[in-house]
Amino acid sequence: MFTRLLVVAVMTLSTLGTTTLVATPVANASNASFANQVERSIAKYTNAQRRSHGKRAVVRSSCVDRYAEGWVAHLRKTGRMAHRNWRTIVRGCHKSYASENIARYSAGASADRLARTIVRMWMNSAGHRRNLLSPRARTMGVGVAKSGGRWFVVQNFAS
């Protein structure tokens, strides 16, 4: 049975930047494979939502992806749900806009179901929905990491 997804506050990001954390988000091959599947599915369901609301699809960006993966590794390590300083992505990826959605999910689920559930939860939260459907977003990065029985997810948008 699924337990609930805890979605944490959203913050919209815009100019400048500071530091970054870049680390491997998952420790073993099976977790890494599962995390990669979740990341791909989150991108797929995000773009499905964007298209269904008349927005253009976002493309994965290796730079934005590194920031999402680095931050999810930090969340996994600390066990805390918190947003980073938004200027980090803007400066590090040479962008003028960025936003971030984060989530934590405690339960077993298939990669596809986990991704669908998280995107659905973000769509049911005004701030997360605003980030996910922002017309300013052109690129996206997703990071997924497991700690104990919990999956942490970071989704960053930028342009």
Side-chain angles (χ1 to χ4, degrees), residues 22-50:
V22 178
T24 306
V26 288
N28 65 46
S30 65
N31 279 349
S33 175
F34 186 87
N36 289 334
Q37 291 172 30
V38 174
E39 290 171 6
R40 285 190 303 274
S41 293
I42 285 175
K44 175 178 79 173
Y45 291 121
T46 293
N47 279 323
Q49 286 292 335
R50 290 180 62 83

Side-chain angles (χ1 to χ4, degrees), residues 60-72:
R60 297 286 295 271
S61 159
S62 60
C63 184
V64 179
D65 218 48
R66 279 192 305 276
Y67 282 89
E69 290 173 356
W71 193 246
V72 84

Side-chain angles (χ1 to χ4, degrees), residues 78-113:
T78 64
R80 291 187 40 218
M81 296 296 287
H83 291 282
R84 82 177 93 229
N85 184 323
W86 55 269
R87 291 177 178 96
T88 304
I89 299 165
V90 171
R91 179 179 289 162
C93 294
H94 308 287
K95 303 293 184 182
S96 61
Y97 164 83
S99 63
E100 178 172 86
N101 290 338
I102 60 177
R104 180 174 53 210
Y105 189 81
S106 301
S110 70
D112 188 73
R113 184 157 184 176

